[in-house]
Amino acid sequence: MAEKIDCAVIGAGVVGLAIARKLAMSGREVVVLEAEEHFGTHTSSRNSEVIHAGIYYPTGSLKARLCVAGRKALYTYCGEHAVDHRRIGKVIVACDESELVGLGKYRRQAEVNGCSDLRMLTRDELAALEPNVRGVAGFLSPSTGTIDAHGLMLAYLGDAEAHGAALALVSPVVSGAVTRDGVVLQVGGAEPMELLCDTVINSAGLNAQAVARSIEGIPPETIPPTFYAIGHYYTLIGSSPFNRLIYPVARPDWLGVHVTIDLGGQVKFGPDFAWIDRIDYRFDESREEAFYAAIRRYYPGLEDGALQPGYTGIRPKIHGPSEPAPDFVIQGAADHGVCGLVNLYGIESPGLTSSLAIADHVHDLLSRKP
Ligand SMILES: Cc1cc2nc3c(=O)[nH]c(=O)nc-3n(C[C@H](O)[C@H](O)[C@H](O)COP(=O)(O)OP(=O)(O)OC[C@H]3O[C@@H](n4cnc5c(N)ncnc54)[C@H](O)[C@@H]3O)c2cc1C
């Protein structure tokens, strides 16, 4: 016999936990089902830990709206919940004259998106702010920051649990079915169970499409294709030559090998970008040469031997090579016809920054009449 519950959130990454928190705080009974032995072991702990300002995303997209709203909410939340973070600021650098056009485009898009605090930098201003960075111009985004993603997830989980939510670890959702009484989930792991849920949130990150496909009754045509793109990070030996995060002018699908400085002062370069066909976090050390070349475009002082392999992360893509980067896909009943079900697909960057706003959006979707 299936055990009846109110809400199941599938996946305890930063997005699943933010949603669980929101639903629990709005009075719902929530169980978070997580396949692994700990929360947040996939994309939520394998990213740049940057609080993005919301510069790049197309006008009116979910990415633009949820990033800007999420960033504001996140700074407030971190302040109130003592989550370690730093509003360190970021400089985007045009390495040569040909990149000035890109810089201007960012600035206009950022303003449309509601980032009103950007400041263009001349070559001299850039050199004064970041003496070790070479470029012909830049702009400064003061509201970009860094955050302890693990601390954030702990805080979300703490709020959710304080409002009655339960986290079930080693509880992979293996299949399910949409029925007249709700969505039935088959949960594997050490203590397999069957749950009948009024509400299901599929926030399984890299596995979200596979989870949706395993639930009978979700129209297959609403499930996007699955693609993965790996990113490697190298760390810099020694102290930071930078005062802020440094980004080159980006490609359409990727922000380029950029500099982040974690809360301990460690400089990380990355992530790079390569399509892969399965979830495999192994570090490919043959990328080193390409990293040196990419970094030296804006940091010519990088010495041989100064980089050491860091870690990798995998982007949960819903589009393939040469297709334009799509928006976040967050589907409610109006999209797939199943009451009480929300599927989240393609929650790549800026998902961490947007997590609180994504949770509000999911809550709103559930409140709408079908
Ligand atoms: C290289 C990289 C850099 C990034 N940098 C940034 C950044 O600087 N700033 C930013 O805002 N965003 C960034 N992002 C994006 C951000 O990390 C993600 O948007 C966010 O972590 C997604 O969280 P999630 O909860 O959706 O997914 P995940 O963290 O992947 O969580 C999904 C969870 O679902 C679980 N799961 C999977 N299948 C099942 C199942 N069948 N049953 C139960 N549980 C299951 C998994 O074990 C996992 O814990 C970056 C992403 C990448 C890849």
Side-chain angles (χ1 to χ4, degrees):
M1 251 287 272
E3 187 185 337
K4 189 154 179 14
I5 64 164
D6 181 8
C7 304
V9 175
I10 306 171
V14 72
V15 173
L17 291 173
I19 295 167
R21 168 185 178 274
K22 177 74 189 182
L23 296 180
M25 291 177 79
S26 68
R28 308 285 306 262
E29 176 208 359
V30 179
V31 177
V32 185
L33 300 167
E34 168 53 52
E36 304 287 356
E37 289 178 10
H38 301 282
F39 64 83
T41 57
H42 286 274
T43 312
S44 298
S45 56
R46 293 172 165 276
N47 58 59
S48 303
E49 297 189 299
V50 171
I51 301 177
H52 287 296
I55 295 169
Y56 308 94
Y57 315 108
T59 310
S61 62
L62 282 177
K63 285 185 179 173
R65 290 191 284 127
L66 299 179
C67 183
V68 173
R71 183 242 302 159
K72 291 177 184 162
L74 195 53
Y75 278 123
T76 306
Y77 183 86
C78 289
E80 290 172 356
H81 291 75
V83 176
D84 210 1
H85 70 291
R86 197 170 156 216
R87 204 185 284 247
I88 185 174
K90 139 174 163 177
V91 171
I92 303 187
V93 181
C95 294
D96 57 42
E97 305 286 332
S98 72
E99 292 183 345
L100 289 174
V101 182
L103 216 53
K105 272 195 199 152
Y106 288 164
R107 191 196 169 147
R108 285 190 293 282
Q109 189 61 46
E111 280 172 1
V112 172
N113 290 352
C115 309
S116 46
D117 56 354
L118 303 178
R119 186 158 70 83
M120 293 303 286
L121 301 171
T122 61
R123 186 196 291 260
D124 290 347
E125 287 169 331
L126 175 64
L129 287 181
E130 296 292 343
N132 293 309
V133 171
R134 182 177 66 190
V136 296
F139 76 66
L140 174 67
S141 165
S143 55
T144 301
T146 51
I147 185 168
D148 167 11
H150 186 79
L152 179 66
M153 288 189 276
L154 257 184
Y156 286 166
L157 179 60
D159 282 349
E161 287 179 336
H163 289 80
L167 170 62
L169 296 169
V170 200
S171 299
V173 170
V174 290
S175 65
V178 178
T179 72
R180 268 192 315 182
D181 302 323
V183 179
V184 175
L185 295 179
Q186 303 295 336
V187 183
E191 293 174 41
M193 54 189 160
E194 187 175 77
L195 300 174
L196 172 60
C197 318
D198 286 336
T199 294
V200 169
I201 312 297
N202 171 11
S203 184
L206 295 162
N207 280 341
Q209 290 93 316
V211 166
R213 277 196 303 274
S214 77
I215 300 177
E216 216 181 297
I218 298 181
E221 65 278 12
T222 65
I223 305 171
T226 306
F227 295 94
Y228 305 119
I230 196 167
H232 295 72
Y233 291 86
Y234 276 85
T235 57
L236 181 70
I237 296 169
S239 56
S240 175
F242 313 110
N243 300 314
R244 294 165 192 77
L245 311 184
I246 310 293
Y247 282 58
V249 171
R251 289 183 358 188
D253 54 353
W254 160 54
L255 300 185
V257 171
H258 52 259
V259 174
T260 57
I261 308 170
D262 72 17
L263 294 160
Q266 171 74 63
V267 171
K268 298 180 285 187
F269 293 100
D272 63 353
F273 187 104
W275 294 100
I276 52 174
D277 55 14
R278 66 199 136 93
I279 301 171
D280 180 348
Y281 292 114
R282 270 177 301 176
F283 199 100
D284 173 5
E285 295 197 22
S286 71
R287 301 183 163 264
E288 192 173 291
E289 207 176 305
F291 265 76
Y292 275 101
I295 297 163
R296 282 179 174 144
R297 287 195 69 227
Y298 56 83
Y299 174 43
L302 179 66
E303 287 176 15
D304 284 343
L307 296 181
Q308 61 186 8
Y311 60 96
T312 62
I314 299 177
R315 301 164 180 91
K317 292 280 185 191
I318 54 175
H319 69 109
S322 76
E323 291 166 358
D327 203 0
F328 291 151
V329 173
I330 305 179
Q331 297 176 339
D335 305 294
H336 49 54
V338 182
C339 281
L341 172 74
V342 177
N343 286 315
L344 294 101
Y345 302 116
I347 310 298
E348 50 173 318
S349 194
L352 171 64
T353 308
S354 311
S355 50
L356 287 167
I358 292 176
D360 287 345
H361 183 74
V362 167
H363 181 258
D364 290 349
L365 275 183
L366 289 172
S367 316
R368 281 185 207 159
K369 295 270 170 275

